[in-house]
Amino acid sequence: MPIISRGFRGRRPSGDHELPPGQYETSDFPVLSAGPTPRVPLDEWEFTISTETGTEYRWSWDDLMALPAETPTVDLHCVTKWSKFDTEWRGVSLDVLFEDVESAADFTLVHSYGGYTTNLPLEDLLDGKAWIAYEYDGGELPAEHGGPARLLVPHLYFWKSAKWVRGIQLGLEDEPGFWESAGYHDYGDPWREQRYQGD
């Protein structure tokens, strides 16, 4: 029998925050990437939502900047076990981008500049749960952290918050992304320690 059970939450950090099981708090913002950092000029940047029927909705950088922005303050939890509290962002809610999108899909595959992908249920991108974030800590989002824009889905492990986001493909069936194809969990709930397939 293990000395520490899977439900062990560790020492409660200071303030009103609680660490998911197996995590530790950091004040740093570690940079982890699956490949080289893409450099995307703003005049070439584009974000697309593609439905299961092939309909496409497109936004340029200027289009994105013209949409109403929000400034969420959220906690981040990385599958490599670090957590960072009270991170401050600015971006556009996915609710705004999906407002006129017609789809019967339940699943999404998020695509990034550089070829990275990750899968999420559509419901995890809506109802105030996700943003296309383009500022961090009061300034432009640095390229090493996913700038000019990244997906921000703070209730799941941070690999689901795809850096350098360029589009979301809607589908009727779940399709694994980059890390999910390599054995990471399809969903990635930090509170249930869904790090790998079978967790």
Side-chain angles (χ1 to χ4, degrees):
M1 182 167 138
I3 296 172
I4 299 175
S5 73
R6 288 179 62 80
F8 177 70
R9 300 242 174 184
R11 280 181 283 173
R12 189 176 182 86
S14 59
D16 296 329
H17 299 282
E18 187 174 356
L19 280 170
Q23 299 289 112
Y24 67 90
E25 181 182 359
T26 183
S27 59
D28 296 329
F29 194 169
V31 176
L32 303 169
S33 300
T37 299
R39 306 288 175 174
V40 186
L42 297 185
D43 60 351
E44 296 177 15
W45 184 91
E46 184 178 65
F47 180 76
T48 305
I49 296 176
S50 304
T51 72
E52 71 281 8
T53 62
T55 303
E56 292 191 342
Y57 302 79
R58 296 179 179 274
W59 293 266
S60 68
W61 186 258
D62 289 341
D63 294 334
L64 187 73
M65 293 300 103
L67 295 174
E70 296 179 0
T71 53
T73 298
V74 299
D75 299 340
L76 307 177
H77 307 293
C78 182
V79 72
T80 61
K81 301 190 176 182
W82 61 262
S83 290
K84 184 173 177 62
F85 295 134
D86 292 328
T87 63
E88 298 177 1
W89 302 82
R90 183 176 180 82
V92 176
S93 169
L94 267 291
D95 294 320
V96 172
L97 296 169
F98 273 95
E99 192 171 33
D100 296 322
V101 175
E102 295 184 16
S103 174
D106 291 323
F107 303 101
T108 72
L109 188 65
V110 179
H111 294 266
S112 296
Y113 290 95
Y116 179 80
T117 57
T118 191
N119 59 319
L120 299 104
L122 178 57
E123 67 181 358
D124 283 273
L125 298 179
L126 303 176
D127 296 325
K129 297 178 193 169
W131 297 265
I132 301 299
Y134 51 82
E135 288 185 13
Y136 171 73
D137 200 22
E140 291 181 2
L141 181 61
E144 63 268 22
H145 287 304
R150 73 176 299 153
L151 184 63
L152 179 64
V153 190
H155 67 282
L156 298 177
Y157 279 126
F158 207 39
W159 92 80
K160 294 290 187 176
S161 294
K163 295 181 180 182
W164 316 296
V165 68
R166 69 174 177 84
I168 296 175
Q169 177 185 339
L170 296 166
L172 301 176
E173 297 182 6
D174 198 9
E175 180 181 340
F178 178 86
W179 285 117
E180 297 82 12
S181 296
Y184 280 66
H185 200 279
D186 281 326
Y187 187 63
D189 183 345
W191 298 97
R192 293 188 280 172
E193 282 196 278
Q194 293 177 334
R195 302 175 193 278
Y196 308 106
Q197 298 291 343
D199 286 348

